[in-house]
Every structure is written in C-alpha cells, then in structure tokens.
Amino acid sequence: MSQMSDKYDHTAVEQSAQQFWNDHQSFLAPDDTSKPKYYCLSMFPYPSGKLHMGHVRNYTIGDVLTRFHKMQGYNVMQPMGWDAFGLPAENAAIANKVPPAKWTYSNIEYMKGQLKSLGFAIDWSRELATCKPDYYKWNQWLFLRMLEKGVAYKKTQVVNWDPVDQTVLANEQVIDGRGWRTGAVVEKREIPGYYLAITQYADELLNDLDTLDQWPERVRLMQANWIGKSTGVRFAFPHDIKDESGALINDGKLWVFTTRADTIMGVTFCAVAAEHPIATQAAKNNPELAAFIEKCKHGSVMEADMATMEKEGLPTGFNVTHPITGQQVPVWVGNYVLMSYGDGAVMAVPAHDERDFGFAKKYQLPIKEVIKVGDKAFSTDAWQEWYGDKENGVTINSGKYDGLGYTAAVDAVAADLAAKDLGEKKKQWRLRDWGISRQRYWGCPIPIIHCDDCGSVPVPDDQLPVVLPEDCVPDGSGNPLHKRPDFLNCACPKCGKAARRETDTMDTFVDSSWYYARFATPGNDSAMVDKRVDYWMPVDQYIGGIEHAILHLLYSRFWTKVMGDLGLVKYREPFKRLLTQGMVLNHLFSRRSDKTGIEWFAPEEVTLQHDASGRVTGATANRDGQPVEYGGYGTMSKSKRNGVDPNAMIEQYGADTSRFFMMFTAPPEQTLEWSDAGIEGSYRFLKRVWNFGNTFASELRGKLPATRTLATAKLPDNLASLRREVHLLLKQANYDLGKQQFNTVASACMKMLNALEKAPRDNAIAAEVVEEAFGILLRVLSPITPHITHYLWDALGYGRDILSADWPQPLDAALVQDEIELVLQVLGKTRGSVKVPAGADNKAIEALAIASEAAQKFMEGKPAKKVIVVPGRLVNIVC
RNA sequence: GCCGGGAUGGCGGAAUCGGUAGACGCAGCGGAUUCAAAAUCCGCCGCCGAAAGGUGUGUGGGUUCGAGUCCCACUCCCGGCACCA
C-alpha cells in the first residue's frame, strides 16, 4: 500500500501511478472477449516534434471517456499511432539535411514519452506509424483493388509548378502566386495523376449522413453542403456556332443545368463562363471581350468575394435557339458563371433569379415574368424576395405550361425536352473526384511501373509493398527518388523488359482514411484487416478537431464503403459518435515598431493592468515597463509566442492539474481560454483533495467500525443531508458524463469536496459516511485526474487499483427525505419558500402555501384564484 | 451574399421538461494566522437602494400563472463556403 505524505508531491504521485499501470499492463485491450467493447479513438497526431496544448486537450477528452467506460465494465480500446508522412518532414530535411525518416522517428519517440507522462490509458501494443511498410503496403494493395474496380483511374491534373526548383508545389507552398523557396512566379502545368472516384459514392455518402445521429449537426451539414446535391434538368440550346476549323462547338449544343426548369419560358439570355469554348471563339475577333475574359480568369474564386462582387458581362454576339419556343437567345459571357461547375453555362431568367435580374437591369436585357405567386404584382423596378419563390408559384405566360405548380411544370418541361432529345432530369454534385498523386518523396509510393511497351502496369500483389527508401535527403529541387536508380529501375511485370517505377506518392489523407481499422488488427502481415475488426469496429467514439470536419472524415467514410464493397468489412460507417473539440487559446500581446514591425510578447513576459473591478485595461512589458498592446485571445502559435509548453506544465503542476484544468474550464466543444490563474486554481483543488485524504487517514479511518452499518443505520440530520448531497452530485455527474459535459463533472467533484470538508469527524457513523462519500468523489474524479485518485484509493485502503473499481451509482436510500422545500411564488414572483412533508398531495401543499407568512404578506388579503403546484419544485399562487 | 452556431456578473462558465438566474472556479475586496511575506483558512462579491424592495440573461415585441429557455422581428459576434444556376 502506498504511503501518504503531508504535502501533495505531484511528481512522486504521478510516477508511482504510471509505474503501477506499466507493471500491470493496465491498458491492454484483449481481443475476442465476451465483454461489450468500447473503441475510443482520438485523431492520431502528425509527429511534428512535440505535443501542443490542442493535443493535450484532445487526448484528455479521449482518456476521460476511456477510463469512464473501463470502470463501467466495457472492454475498452484506446490506441495511438502516428500520421507520419507529410510535407513538414521534407521541409525539416531541407533545413537540417537530415532524412525525413530519421527526423520523423525521433519525433515519435519524444512525443510518445510526452503522452506517457500525461498518463493516458493507451494500448501501446497496437501502435502504428503510417510511414512503415507494414502499414502502407495495404494502401498500395487497396489502391490496386480500386484500379481493378474502376474506382481508381488516371487523368490529367493541374498543378503548381516552380520553374526554378523544377518541382511541383503544394498549395500551401505558394505564397501570393510565388514559390515559397525561390520566389519564382508559379506556373500552372497539366500532368497525369491518379484519382479516386469518390463521386461514385456521392449518393451513399449523402444518404448515410442520416444514420450518423451521434455526430454534431454542424459537421453533417458541412458534409452535405460539400457533397452538394442538386436535382434539376440538364438540357441544350441548339446552335450553329463553329470554331476555327469549321466544326460545330460541342456538336451544336449549349448545355446548361437548372433547378428551375419551370421558368424555362422566361429565358431571355444565356451566360457562359470565361473559359467556355463559345467565349473563346467569340473573343477571337473581339479584343474587348478577350480582355474581359483574361480579367475573369484572374479574378478571385472565393465564394465570399464573389458574392459581393459586381456582376459583369459582355455579349458574345452569338445566339442560340430556345429548345421549346425556337426563338433566338443571345449568349453573354458572365463573370459569375463557373467553368468547373456543370457545363460552364447557365440559362438566365431575370424575372425569377436575383442574380439574373440584376444583370438584366444593368445591361438592359428583357425581363419576362412567367411565375405568379398569389395576387402579388410583379414589377421590373426592383427585385422582391417572392420573385424566386418556387413553393407557391404557378406558371403564366408559358403557353402550354400555364397554370402548373413547380413540380408539375418541371416534369412537363423535362418530358418535352427529352422527347426532342435535348435534355433530361439530372442530379448534379458539387463533390469532385479525389486526386491522390503527389509529386513528393515522403509518402506512400503509388504501386505502378511504367513500361515503354505495356504502358502503366500495376505492381503485382506478391511484389508489395513497394518500399520507399528511407535515407533520401530532399533539397527542395524536385523529388529525390528521381536520383535513386535502385528505386527507379525495375522489370515490367508484364513483359519483363527494363521499366521505370512511378515516383509519385499518395496524398497523406489516404494514410489516415483507414488507420482506425488497422488498430483492430495489429501484426497481421497477410491481410489488410481480419475478423477482429468485426468485434472492434466501428469506432464508438471519435474525437478530433473541427478542421477535419470535411476532408478527413469524408475520405474515411468513402474508404470504408470501398472496403465494404470489397467484402473486407461489414460496417458502412466507421465512426459511430463524433466529438469535435474546440481550440486552445491564449492572450496575445504585441508591440508595433517602425524598425522591426510587429513584435510579439509571451504572456509570461508582460504584466496585466486591471481597473478596480478587475477588468483588464492594458499590459506592460516586464523588461522595460513600457505598454504593450493587448490583442485578446487567439489560437496558440509559435509565431505569436503565446503557446504553452505541456512539459513545463507537467513539471510545475503535474499531469493531473493540466488535465483537470482543461476539463473544468470549458465544455469540450467550445474554445478554451488558457489562464495561469485558472491552472493555479486547479492545482489548489488537487492539493485540497490530497489534504482531505490526510484528514481521512488521520482523523477518521481509526473510527471506522469493523462491520459497516451504513446500509441500515438511521443517520442524524446533518449526515443524512451530507450523504444526500453527495449522491445527488453523483447523479448529476453521471448525467453530465453521458452528455460529455466534463466541465460540470469536474465542478460536481469540487462541490463534493466542499461538502466533505465541512463534515463532522467525531464518531464512527460520520467516518462511515465520509468513507463512502470520499470513495465516490475519488472514482468520479479518477477519469480526469487518474494519478492522484489512483494513489489515494490505494493509500486509504479502498483498493489496489481504482481503474478496476466499479463506477458508483446513486442510492435511492440516500436520496429520500422526510420534508421538502418548495419555492413559493405569488403572481409568478419568488417570495420565499415553504416546507412540506415529502408525501404531501397538491391540496395539502396549496393550503400550506397560502397559510405561509410570505404568501399572506404578498397576497394583500386577496383570495387565491388559482394555485399551480410543480411537484418537488415550486408552488405559485395567482390572486 | 448564403449556410450553421452563439450573445448570461470584472472573467471562464452553470441552470436536464418553461419553474429560486448567476452553481463551480478565477479575479477582486475584507478578516484570521505570521515578526513579515508566501501558503492556508474564514467571510463578502450582478446592478440600484440605508432598508423594505425594485431591477436584471444582446435589442424590441408576443405566448404563459411563470421565459435565459418557446414564437416573431432586429443588432452584433464566431465558424464554414461553392456566385452551384
């Protein structure tokens, strides 16, 4: 049994607990057990060097849930791995002339030590790193299966090309249109690359969002918007516009997509994107149009910019034929039409589309009303919201379509277009296929061999993995694999002739798209996954940052569905419940100087100034006493010097204090504002827990009777109310844990301690009540602060291992009371309280309430017209 | 511009179904202890008021015996974005 020391020595306590967990292999999750499983996963980190506070928060949330479920009897798996491929390793290699592999592996070692010092209940036997061949072999294997199924395919892609370094740049390496290292103007180049046809799964990815009822609503919405389904009609305006060779452009059809086919009789012009072939052709003899097109191509493509930007256009001089009326319709080039969406052209109905309306007014184009909403009067003077109403509108001025509602009109128009072979109903997706080729060294090699005779040949399965050499040092000028004949040169699997290996590697989102499934099947080198996934998957709880709400989560869902279609897994969705934690913020202090620009100050380098009420009014730098500018809270970042080092925190206050502070200060989904005073407060609380442990050991434990009597004893009032309070707080904490609202769980623990510190200590029954209550407190607190609670649980004789103790449940016997206090209201205003017997019926309560002194005073002699009794809560007298 | 979320003391936040607004903590103030300080402990702490009481959850209205919570309109803040036809 551990010994109690007078003072809380967090270092000794935490080392002792971690030693115990290590000796007893406390966090191993056995496979194939009859127990119900709980798979708790936090997004694995990129091994950038050291943990930041965002990681600490993320993994603390996961650890609280892990320990809570372990104590509830689940077989819990909480694994950890490393998202180890990526650009930062190459940048570090360029800077330090160290191979990315070496840098990555040493970072992993260091960060693993940090995770252990925080006491996370991680099953390290399942650790994986995506840069190891035994992992990425299966990226390659699945990619080959996708090729066979037609889910993976090759096409040209546009990339950023640095002409000086002769290399492809990632978007983040392009700064203001120039290469980050060379400063050279970046060019657009078209090169071949591999794509995954995620659009084949668009329908399922969208529909299955409905099954993810334990995901945050906003994440599901973001995914739905990203997939972007719209149903409408794709149809063509016939034309005879020819290109220079005399051939009809697009076979004489201008294709458009519309969700408002019901307004087709209101079309007064068409608009095409600047890159559209008709625009290109029209610009040939029209310098003004050519200049306009060039301007459009350089314009912003950000939606927010575009939404407020002036709609501009120029006529092409060409006409197309309206497919229903046969009338001629002029074609314009519009800066608001995107080539990348649909066919890069739209029909314009100024009367019923706000953007078309504005455009038509600006360029004096005709506006033709074709939808009537009720008896509202249409006017071309100004746009009204209801012009675009499709629910309540009826077609007018539309010939044979007159008098139809939205759905009927769309159906009728689509049928006529189909009869003329000029169009059909169609679903349109915003989602595009996923390009996975990266012209980078530090990634998973794409398993393809290029042969002069046979073309691109997949690497046969028995030659997998294609192993990436780990000793290359990139220098920024292109992919170092190009200088590695031992990697490049190989035999064509088809014809045996000398051939060349593909040097492109896969997007690192591939690595993270299925790692959660591999955690369930560690060590299997003959299969990607095995039957153990049927037990562990899907992940019961996934925790990570909101920044992954779209890409990572969507790719993982897609990858799961592909694996499912290949018969590898039975589940269709990988993550049952999702928690997106908020960011960690800290104060920002800066000073602007003409010489050096903005200088940032770390929070410990300044002194805050407060006014009398405690409000922050300013700050001064410690080094010169001069004022600095206080910039409020911002995300922790190296450049702004407001980061907090987890190691320093652990050393000064301990892992438990850091964990407690993170859980207590804000609910998990909200941003968390760092505060030195706040962490002091958390430390103070843990010291008080420790001190109460000492009090219990010295003043109460000796008074405990050999046979406990608590279950049957009639308690004096003060002890009964203490016991009731603790059990009520326990009930609250259990409820909040279900809601994953950990801040109020922490506060319930503080309230329990506040109550315990006031408890009587002078007799055996008091000792029993305190023993039970402190045991509850230690267990409820243990998922948040596992070390101190482990130590006290052992030292105070509760048991050897708190993690294997049962989670406490509130007892009905502890909650009952003879008399209850109800809030007393007169005319809805609180006027005091009234005590009634626990079993009193409404009539009795009404009588007691009216008779009370407070009620008599505020009723001013009027009779009660009505009395409302809310059982257990309040009584309101209306008079 | 569109979509989503939000606004509660000096601060972080609490309030499960519409039922005592401000739990818990931080900061601040007063006191005890100390030669002194730190640490610790006790007390006070939305606003107006001497008190009784009044008032108060971004603004304006509404529903209700009763609204932070529900409804309508508005303001501001945060996150996301694709002029998506």
Side-chain angles (χ1 to χ4, degrees), chain A residues 18 25 85 125 129 135 163 170 224 239 264 280 330 354 367 531 563 566 570 587 672 715 750 785 801 857:
Chain A
Q18 286 169 17
Q25 300 281 295
F85 275 135
S125 73
Y135 180 79
H239 64 77
I264 195 168
T280 311
E354 185 170 7
I367 297 169
K531 67 177 184 354
M563 285 179 77
L566 288 165
K570 294 186 177 124
H587 297 285
L672 183 149
L715 297 175
M750 290 173 140
T785 62
D801 178 16
K857 178 178 172 194

Side-chain angles (χ1 to χ4, degrees), chain A residues 374-450:
Chain A
D375 53 1
K376 291 179 185 167
F378 184 88
S379 155
T380 58
D381 292 346
W383 175 259
Q384 303 286 327
E385 275 302 304
W386 63 268
Y387 295 176
D389 186 346
K390 66 182 181 189
E391 262 82 52
N392 308 304
V394 175
T395 44
I396 55 164
N397 302 329
S398 299
K400 60 182 281 204
Y401 306 117
D402 274 357
L404 298 177
Y406 172 74
T407 310
V410 170
D411 288 347
V413 168
D416 287 351
L417 289 168
K420 295 181 184 199
D421 208 20
L422 283 175
E424 58 184 347
K425 281 197 174 179
K426 216 195 147 196
K427 275 186 246 175
Q428 180 89 9
W429 303 98
R430 178 196 172 275
L431 184 68
R432 274 165 233 151
D433 281 345
W434 174 15
I436 58 156
S437 290
R438 296 290 181 274
Q439 296 68 42
R440 315 231 70 88
Y441 155 63
W442 190 234
C444 167
I446 293 176
I448 294 287
I449 290 167
H450 299 288

Side-chain angles (χ1 to χ4, degrees), chain A residues 167-203:
Chain A
T167 191
V168 175
L169 299 177
N171 281 334
E172 68 175 69
Q173 293 175 314
V174 181
I175 297 150
D176 295 332
R178 291 171 182 274
W180 66 303
R181 262 164 44 82
T182 61
V185 175
V186 170
E187 301 167 8
K188 299 276 175 205
R189 275 211 178 180
E190 289 205 348
I191 60 169
Y194 285 91
Y195 281 79
L196 303 185
I198 192 171
T199 50
Q200 289 179 15
Y201 289 84
D203 249 318

